[in-house]
Amino acid sequence: MAASEGLDAFLAAASGACCSRLAIFIQIQGCVICLTLAIGWSFAAYVRSRVIQSMKHNMEGGNDFAFICEDINDLEHSAQLNMPGVSVVMPLKGFGQHNLQNWRSQITSLYGGPLEFLFVLESTRDPAYHAVSKLISEYEIGVEKMHKDSKYVLFLDDDVRLHPGSIGALAREMEKNPEIFIQTGYPLDLPSGSLGSYCIYEYHMPCSMGFATGGKTFFLWGGCMMMHAEDFRKDLYGLVSGLRDGGYSDDMTLAAIAGQHKRLISSPPVAVFPHPLASDLSFPRYWNYLRKQTFVLESYISRVNWLMNRALFSSHCYLSWSFVLPYFMALIHLAAALRTPFNDSLSKETAASSCGLTLAGCLFICTILELASMWNLTKVEIYLCNLLSPEGPSVSLGSYNWGLVFIAMLVDNFLYPISAMRSHFTQCINWSGIRYHLKHGKISKIERSKEYGPNLTDLGGKHLYWKRLCPPKASFLSSLSKSLAQWHQPKKYDS
């Protein structure tokens, strides 16, 4: 009985405190954050929906290849001969569940211009080496470095699943607007069912609205970046040397360079790529992924880069806990309201109880609107992905668990500031079996230890080693391009 009275007294005091001016501001702010996300996702869904309608219109008009290009005349042989050369650079680390399917989607692109693929590995002992070697033999890929006539270079993560027309869509936008510094896209995470996978999906979704602008954006995703090859050959703005001399994050560094020099970053509305997450993605692996994302904000190569990262660090930490805290307050209000009929002291706090329930009701409505908008954007992007890859495996919205999505929103936003502070004070991260140490924003030390490192990568669950503690084998790969594998079209480059 005494324990019950103590709980009721606590609830009465907590509910009253949660109706103070500051607490009311925090709860209203939480509702505003929810509504802002809902509006942003609605706008992103509108932009993607316009692309879907345009594709349907072109198909009805007789263009059965609208998933490759809007104008069917662009598929004429004369038009294809004028397409610019593109070199696709893809770093590989480990081999996992979805890699082979992703790599096949990349090298079987229906791009009509000169195209080469450069697969970069650290050593022949990496399991990805054996898998990609087999793929190379299947498609008769040759070996050499980036071709001197390549006009554009496309950097891809090895877990990106391209559409048949993705490379062509990126290249055509670059041709239309030579002022574009970087073309980018964004993944659509396909959760595997674990809470960790839903946390990653939820983490990426707020950024997705920044990539659904239909053109100019300030966001940049390192998993898909197309740039002018000449910019790399000339080391424009020090973008190569900056990354080479202790740089860690390619996308954050390049975004800072673009902002500093007022260069254009663009994201075409068709640049959204299915990203299936590993079926065994555990919560500890999600945590290390979050640690890596916050570790990125500790790295920089210039003052502009540092200022941008500090702004993101501060705003993200503030908004994350500003999002979560109102739900704890709403829980207190509900608990107090449920105990009110059984306790006189609580029933006397009618004004506070009424105010608290009103705020909790507003938060509930805003949350429903937010989840509905998130669901709608995911539905639109899934439909778009299925249209862009008619020959590929169909993606379904039915596999999403929206209860877990809501839990993931709370968990991810609660943990983000904790992860950010840990990254700030430790200045190191163990990612895919490699421990990176920062000093003054740059990589100062790299440690590789298979004895104490993981067997699997954190995000993709890819195997890092064929055999643990096996003796090293001789490597014939160079230090710059440890393994370069190129899919070559001699009829265009050798003419």
Side-chain angles (χ1 to χ4, degrees), residues 360-378:
C362 291
L363 182 61
F364 175 78
I365 293 172
C366 293
T367 302
I368 294 298
L369 292 173
E370 176 193 17
L371 287 172
S373 181
M374 192 180 192
W375 172 86
N376 183 56
L377 175 59
T378 305

Side-chain angles (χ1 to χ4, degrees), residues 18 22-31 33-34 317-333 363 409-410 413-414 417:
C18 289
L22 177 61
I24 291 174
F25 169 77
I26 292 173
Q27 291 168 88
I28 293 175
Q29 179 181 246
C31 293
I33 292 173
C34 289
C317 287
Y318 176 82
L319 291 172
S320 289
W321 275 1
S322 295
F323 175 84
V324 173
L325 194 55
Y327 289 97
F328 287 100
M329 293 181 173
L331 193 62
I332 290 174
H333 291 313
L363 182 61
M409 289 167 63
L410 297 179
N413 283 286
F414 176 76

Side-chain angles (χ1 to χ4, degrees), residues 330-344:
L331 193 62
I332 290 174
H333 291 313
L334 290 174
L338 291 173
R339 288 294 303 168
T340 296
F342 309 100
N343 188 284
D344 293 336

